[in-house]
Amino acid sequence: MTTVISIILVFGVLVAVHELGHFLVAKAFGMRVNEYSLGFGPSLYKHKWGETQYALRIIPLGGYVRLAGMEGDKTGDPREFPNRPLWQRFLVVLAGPFMNLILAAVLYAVSFGPVGIPTATTTVQQALPHYPAYEAGIRPGDKIVNIDGTPVTNWEELASAIVAHHNQVMDVTVVRHGHRQTFAMKTRYDKTLHQYVIGIKPQVITIHLNPLKALVAGVTQTIQLTGAWFFALFRLLGGHGPFDLTGPVGIAELVSQAAQSGLVQLLLLSAALSANLGLFNILPIPVLDGSRLFLMAVEGIRHKAMDPDRENMIHFVGFVLLMALVLVVTFHDIEHLFHA
């Protein structure tokens, strides 16, 4: 039950926040918004406040915004979306993906701050019997500070140093009860992990950043993820990367696994999914926000809007092709689940 709720919350919040971006900017520019809805299908509750209807619908996955003039109901009202200046329409469409990036940064900040990130340290929690570290004399509580003369300050540096000494003898310096001791040992290949190890498990602590540092770290993480996303996209377009998409079923499985792993993993996954949703939406694919942004950019160059019927046909064809792609990816995800 917890897993189902987690899936509904993640899918619902990501899409609802995306639509909230369109809604807030449209309202800020004085456009008429007919409806802001959370969910799809028949309404469970709806209330009209001012000129906008707010609705909670039965299928709790996402939501949508209906802007006046975008569904063939144009009346010449200057507050309708198509009649607003180009730059305002551009920002309204862009606000959806941008809100997903904002949400990603906030979720990362919450993870790094109030919730805290479990972090492996260089202090030994367990030295596995019959492995090199135990046989050399390493014991729980020892803090590893040096590998072959090179200081190590975190688990990543320690793990890299161990892998770098594959099948070699190395000197491991630890601090035990305030005193330094050095032990010589040879790494061993672990067939399960497929790498060289010395047989230790790290002590894990939860690190909480203060609010400002957590926010900076959240923004930094989002920027880094965005850069990696574009780098992967350019490699893919250049034929140098794998074409591997995950559909709704695959994402639901990832959310399920993260929910079972704990709140931190669920927040981190939700942040990554939010950023990816925002970035994917700026691609110039018909029916996505990126397609509307592209057409408005063309309008700005031509100083003339595209014929509405032609634009609607482009979005319709794009929707059909996108749904076909979703079905193919979903079939692949289901097949992967049965063969996992």
Side-chain angles (χ1 to χ4, degrees):
M1 185 64 180
T2 301
T3 297
V4 174
I5 293 174
S6 298
I7 292 172
I8 291 174
L9 282 176
V10 170
F11 275 90
V13 169
L14 296 192
V15 180
V17 167
H18 178 98
E19 297 300 332
L20 183 63
H22 298 313
F23 171 83
L24 291 176
V25 177
K27 282 285 190 180
F29 286 142
M31 298 181 190
R32 196 168 79 248
V33 181
N34 291 333
E35 181 178 353
Y36 176 73
S37 177
L38 294 178
F40 298 96
S43 61
L44 295 173
Y45 172 81
K46 57 184 178 181
H47 176 74
K48 192 163 187 178
W49 185 17
E51 61 190 10
T52 303
Q53 177 174 275
Y54 299 84
L56 181 64
R57 300 186 178 276
I58 195 168
I59 303 175
L61 296 176
Y64 59 88
V65 172
R66 286 198 300 114
L67 302 178
M70 290 192 70
E71 299 177 333
D73 55 346
K74 300 177 185 177
T75 63
D77 185 344
R79 296 181 60 219
E80 290 182 350
F81 179 84
N83 300 327
R84 303 302 294 175
L86 178 62
W87 67 273
Q88 290 188 3
R89 287 183 280 132
F90 191 91
L91 289 180
V92 167
V93 175
L94 185 62
F98 184 72
M99 278 292 284
N100 280 125
L101 293 177
I102 293 294
L103 176 62
V106 170
L107 291 175
Y108 278 129
V110 171
S111 301
F112 299 153
V115 175
I117 298 294
T119 305
T121 67
T122 62
T123 299
V124 178
Q125 177 71 33
Q126 181 182 4
L128 302 177
H130 312 301
Y131 273 80
Y134 184 88
E135 294 178 350
I138 299 288
R139 293 295 180 264
D142 290 349
K143 182 178 181 179
I144 299 175
V145 296
N146 195 292
I147 300 288
D148 258 359
T150 302
V152 290
T153 59
N154 56 58
W155 177 256
E156 288 72 23
E157 292 177 355
L158 174 57
S160 297
I162 292 173
V163 172
H165 287 79
H166 56 275
N167 203 29
Q168 299 176 15
V169 176
M170 61 183 181
D171 290 329
V172 178
T173 301
V174 307
V175 173
R176 178 184 296 177
H177 305 306
H179 301 285
R180 285 180 172 243
Q181 298 185 43
T182 300
F183 303 89
M185 65 193 72
K186 185 178 181 180
T187 59
R188 177 194 299 179
Y189 186 75
D190 188 298
K191 294 181 179 179
T192 302
L193 299 176
H194 303 292
Q195 66 183 36
Y196 285 88
V197 301
I198 59 174
I200 60 172
K201 292 185 177 180
Q203 187 179 93
V204 177
I205 62 174
T206 300
I207 295 179
H208 299 272
L209 299 180
N210 66 49
L212 180 58
K213 288 185 177 180
L215 182 59
V216 171
V219 172
T220 300
Q221 182 70 19
T222 303
I223 292 174
Q224 290 176 345
L225 189 152
T226 301
W229 189 89
F230 278 109
F231 178 74
L233 176 64
F234 290 143
R235 281 184 56 83
L236 176 63
L237 294 176
H240 302 297
F243 184 73
D244 188 17
L245 292 176
T246 300
V249 173
I251 294 175
E253 176 64 15
L254 290 175
V255 173
S256 173
Q257 294 173 1
Q260 294 171 18
S261 298
L263 179 59
V264 175
Q265 293 303 318
L266 184 60
L267 285 173
L268 292 176
L269 176 63
S270 299
L273 289 176
S274 184
N276 275 276
L277 175 62
L279 294 169
F280 181 72
N281 256 281
I282 65 173
L283 294 177
I285 298 174
V287 86
L288 298 183
D289 290 332
S291 174
R292 293 187 182 277
L293 293 173
F294 176 77
L295 292 177
M296 281 189 279
V298 172
E299 176 184 341
I301 295 172
R302 297 174 62 230
H303 301 289
K304 180 181 178 182
M306 179 176 288
D307 179 71
D309 292 334
R310 180 177 298 180
E311 181 175 345
N312 289 335
M313 179 57 66
I314 290 175
H315 289 304
F316 175 75
V317 173
F319 177 77
V320 172
L321 293 177
L322 188 61
M323 288 302 99
L325 177 61
V326 169
L327 289 175
V328 171
V329 174
T330 300
F331 177 79
H332 176 269
D333 288 340
I334 294 174
E335 187 179 38
H336 175 74
L337 286 177
F338 280 107
H339 289 85

